[in-house]
């Protein structure tokens, strides 16, 4: 008779790797003559792929864009106003393979949305900083992120949206 003892919830990191990375400085070397006070936009998204019964690949995609304001050194070519002031673009995909055992669907969903990205984030932060410095810009440290709070907010918004759609069905 097989042992039916439930497995305690467990997350195992099998591998963390850089899947893709790019760095652009479209206005180099002119950009280095400008005062460095960029407007920075950072977008972070994750996606998950099931590899087998217990293994998942989680890919964090991070895009950082740094734009400078109107500077005479940057005003030489006025093709596209937005592109004209782009100082740098960093894009990367930081990924990992995680084994998740002993979890129900809700717990697995939460771990894939919080624990796994939180594990990948320091690697992505280091890669961004390294690429920016190698591009001859000042170091750039991404602020810590609270993936638990982001997940809770996404669940709250989803529930509110479902509530609105539910109310609309009864109003017709």
């Amino acid at each position: 008779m097989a042992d039916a003892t439930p497995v305690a919830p467990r997350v195992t990191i099998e591998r963390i790797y850089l899947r893709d990375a790019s760095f652009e400085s479209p206005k180099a070397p002119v950009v280095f003559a400008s005062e460095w006070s960029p407007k920075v936009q950072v977008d972070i998204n994750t996606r998950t792929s099931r590899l087998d019964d217990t293994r998942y690949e989680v890919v964090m995609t991070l895009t950082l864009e740094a734009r400078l304001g109107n500077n005479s050194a940057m005003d030489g070519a006025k093709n596209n106003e937005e592109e004209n002031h782009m100082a740098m673009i960093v894009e990367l995909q930081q990924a990992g393979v995680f084994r998740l055992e002993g979890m129900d669907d809700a717990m697995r969903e939460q771990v894939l949305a919080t624990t796994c990205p939180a594990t990948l984030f320091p690697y992505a932060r280091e890669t961004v900083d390294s690429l920016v410095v190698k591009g001859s810009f000042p170091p750039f440290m991404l602020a810590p992120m609270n993936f638990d709070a982001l997940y809770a907010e996404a669940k709250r918004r989803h529930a509110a949206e479902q509530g609105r759609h539910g109310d609309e069905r009864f109003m017709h």
Side-chain angles (χ1 to χ4, degrees), residues 10-137:
R10 180 174 50 209
V11 177
T12 306
I13 302 168
E14 289 192 358
R15 184 170 303 268
I16 294 178
Y17 52 98
L18 184 61
R19 188 172 187 152
D20 188 18
S22 73
F23 175 87
E24 283 182 65
S25 181
K27 297 299 176 185
V30 175
V31 69
F32 303 126
S34 301
E35 179 183 333
W36 186 246
S37 57
K39 293 178 181 84
V40 177
Q41 179 178 335
V42 178
D43 292 316
I44 298 176
N45 295 294
T46 60
R47 75 173 189 276
T48 300
S49 303
R50 187 178 196 141
L51 302 175
D52 59 34
D53 288 345
T54 59
R55 295 170 56 241
Y56 297 82
E57 179 190 47
V58 178
V59 179
M60 174 181 289
T61 301
L62 187 144
T63 304
L64 179 145
E65 295 180 347
R67 289 181 168 83
L68 296 176
N70 293 331
N71 289 315
S72 58
M74 298 284 288
D75 287 337
K78 292 203 181 235
N79 301 345
N80 177 337
E81 199 63 30
E82 285 293 301
E83 186 179 309
N84 193 37
H85 300 293
M86 183 66 69
M88 70 173 150
I89 305 165
V90 178
E91 297 173 318
L92 65 93
Q93 291 182 350
Q94 186 69 55
V97 175
F98 299 87
R99 181 178 301 275
L100 279 57
E101 298 173 295
M103 298 179 194
D104 61 21
D105 291 344
M107 180 184 281
R108 186 179 311 107
E109 175 187 303
Q110 183 171 0
V111 166
L112 290 169
T114 61
T115 304
C116 296
T119 301
L120 296 173
F121 187 73
Y123 293 91
R125 180 184 359 211
E126 190 280 327
T127 301
V128 166
D129 186 57
S130 178
L131 288 170
V132 167
V133 169
K134 287 177 181 177
S136 193
F137 290 97

